Amino acid sequence: MSEVRWLVGAHTERRTLGFIGEPRVNVLEARSAFRHRREKRGRTAHCPDHFPRSLGIGDW
């Protein structure tokens, strides 16, 4: 779970011009990085197929 949180944090973009809008997750980059790490290590019980909904990043 901490790895997923780290990946989401690493792919979160700041507000436009520092004050417009809200921070947002670049989902394409986050999913790509997640898949790359999972394939590199081999699929384990610690690597779910999707991000948990409890992180609030929407449905996949």
Side-chain angles (χ1 to χ4, degrees):
M1 184 67 135
S2 63
E3 183 177 356
V4 174
R5 289 182 193 271
W6 180 85
L7 282 170
V8 170
H11 296 285
T12 299
E13 299 175 357
R14 296 180 180 196
R15 299 169 189 238
T16 305
L17 299 176
F19 65 93
I20 299 173
E22 294 295 323
R24 60 205 172 277
V25 176
N26 185 324
V27 177
L28 181 63
E29 288 183 6
R31 289 190 76 177
S32 178
F34 185 76
R35 283 186 180 151
H36 176 74
R37 291 175 70 90
R38 184 176 64 183
E39 290 169 0
K40 185 176 176 182
R41 240 194 355 236
R43 192 172 181 182
T44 68
H46 301 296
C47 295
D49 289 330
H50 62 284
F51 290 114
R53 291 183 187 191
S54 62
L55 292 175
I57 27 179
D59 295 333
W60 298 78

